[in-house]
Amino acid sequence: MLKKAKKYIILLPEVKNMEQQKKKRTAGICLTLAGGICWGLSGCFGQYLFQKKDITADWLVMVRLLLAGVLLVLMGFLLTKKRMGDIWKNPVDRRQLLIFSVFGMLSCQYTYFAAIQYSNAGTATVLQSLAPLLILGVVCFKEKRWPRKMETGAIFCALLGVFLLSTHGDIHSMSITTLALVFGLGAAAGGAAYNLLSGDLLRHYGVYAVVGYAMLLAGVAMLPFVRPWSYAVPFDQGTVLATAGVVVIGTAIAFSLYLKGVSVVGPFMGSLLGMVEPITAVIVSLLFLHAKFQGIDLVGFALILGTVVVLSLQSK
């Protein structure tokens, strides 16, 4: 009896530790999902501004980049303190940050919101989800190989999904405008460039320094071209709240929640849980922004999002 009692006493801390790990993982999953939902809502706030306030993607993207950039940099100084200045000390990394700001951050943000302006948040977010497919193409090119069987199947499903989404299955007609399709695919290319150009920087300096400074630089670069002071923007309650939703909820809160969650569950699980972003955008734009989808559109969405899942499993 004494030996059994000692055995249970030894096992008790292990059981308690397992319960703590389970709670921590559950919290990580919830945080990751919340971050993805915030990103999905960001596109819907943008759609509201385009539809109800006649605001253009140029103005919204520039304002988002500037305000979100300032917000993330300030958060970085509060959370990481002196480390925020390290990225400016290395000439190579400084040049890489400038390249990422224009060809990664600016291209990704502008094409995404332009796609929303010409279609809706759900369609734009799903098309942007094709980014891993383009990253796969770069990987295959670098490794001088053809796609593997599973990768080939994913490519076929993605192309079929885009075809159904853009034509409703009728090759002789387009169900979305050419600009919506071009900017949606451009958002996927921008998303791929965003990931490929930022990887090393993020590992060395963290998200607040890299994303914060990149947003700020991209916003400043847009100023002389957009000239926001020339826009007649209706600064009523709806405009202010929706813009705050894009900047605060869709940027500062989304990044903070998602990255905290991924630090617990890991990047693989994070990439799968991040699929809640396009799903959120589709549901919200359907229920609250009166976007119209047909059954064949949902099949196209499923094929494209399924491609992301397959590629995530392939690269686990």
Side-chain angles (χ1 to χ4, degrees):
M1 288 291 291
L2 187 59
K3 288 182 178 179
K4 287 184 177 180
K6 287 181 178 179
K7 182 179 178 181
Y8 289 132
I9 291 172
I10 292 171
L11 288 175
L12 191 59
E14 294 181 3
V15 173
K16 187 176 181 180
N17 186 53
M18 288 176 63
E19 290 178 353
Q20 290 176 343
Q21 290 294 327
K22 187 176 180 181
K23 288 181 180 179
K24 185 178 179 181
R25 184 173 177 79
T26 301
I29 291 172
C30 292
L31 288 171
T32 307
L33 287 172
I37 289 171
C38 286
W39 271 320
L41 290 174
S42 173
C44 295
F45 285 126
Q47 183 180 336
Y48 168 81
L49 289 170
F50 298 146
Q51 290 182 349
K52 305 296 183 182
K53 305 299 179 181
D54 292 326
I55 286 173
T56 65
D58 297 359
W59 185 89
L60 181 60
V61 171
M62 193 221 65
V63 169
R64 185 198 189 195
L65 289 172
L66 282 177
L67 296 182
V70 170
L71 191 57
L72 287 175
V73 169
L74 289 175
M75 289 175 65
F77 274 109
L78 289 173
L79 297 173
T80 63
K81 298 181 180 178
K82 295 180 180 179
R83 289 173 51 198
M84 288 294 290
D86 292 347
I87 195 169
W88 300 106
K89 298 176 181 178
N90 187 316
V92 175
D93 290 340
R94 190 165 60 236
R95 184 171 61 252
Q96 182 66 19
L97 177 63
L98 293 173
I99 293 172
F100 167 62
S101 299
V102 176
F103 297 101
M105 179 62 71
L106 180 55
S107 66
C108 177
Q109 293 292 317
Y110 181 76
T111 51
Y112 172 62
F113 279 101
I116 294 175
Q117 182 177 344
Y118 290 107
S119 58
N120 56 71
T123 301
T125 310
V126 171
L127 287 174
Q128 188 186 46
S129 299
L130 288 166
L133 195 69
L134 302 180
I135 295 174
L136 169 64
V138 174
V139 170
C140 290
F141 177 78
K142 284 186 174 181
E143 295 180 356
K144 297 179 180 179
R145 67 172 177 85
W146 292 101
R148 301 185 181 97
K149 289 183 179 180
M150 185 178 290
E151 294 168 343
T152 303
I155 292 171
F156 174 78
C157 287
L159 293 176
L160 180 59
V162 172
F163 170 74
L164 294 178
L165 188 60
S166 58
T167 66
H168 284 167
D170 183 358
I171 198 171
H172 300 292
S173 66
M174 288 283 288
S175 61
I176 61 175
T177 65
T178 303
L179 282 175
L181 183 60
V182 168
F183 279 119
L185 295 177
Y194 181 100
N195 283 277
L196 293 169
L197 293 173
S198 66
D200 292 336
L201 292 176
L202 287 171
R203 281 189 288 273
H204 284 95
Y205 301 106
V207 68
Y208 292 109
V210 177
V211 176
Y213 284 132
M215 282 189 162
L216 196 54
L217 290 170
V220 171
M222 290 187 72
L223 268 174
F225 300 100
V226 176
R227 294 184 296 174
W229 52 86
S230 64
Y231 282 74
V233 176
F235 284 104
D236 54 19
Q237 185 179 20
T239 302
V240 173
L241 290 177
T243 304
V246 172
V247 174
V248 180
I249 296 176
T251 305
I253 294 176
F255 271 111
S256 300
L257 292 175
Y258 184 81
L259 293 171
K260 181 63 178 177
V262 169
S263 69
V264 176
V265 301
F268 168 66
M269 181 61 71
S271 67
L272 294 181
L273 294 173
M275 295 295 293
V276 74
E277 178 189 353
I279 294 171
T280 299
V282 170
I283 293 174
V284 173
S285 60
L286 179 64
L287 295 179
F288 299 102
L289 297 172
H290 310 296
K292 295 180 180 179
F293 300 115
Q294 296 185 13
I296 197 70
D297 295 329
L298 300 180
V299 174
F301 289 158
L303 286 169
I304 292 172
L305 299 181
T307 298
V308 181
V309 173
V310 169
L311 293 179
S312 297
L313 293 171
Q314 177 75 8
S315 62
K316 180 177 180 180

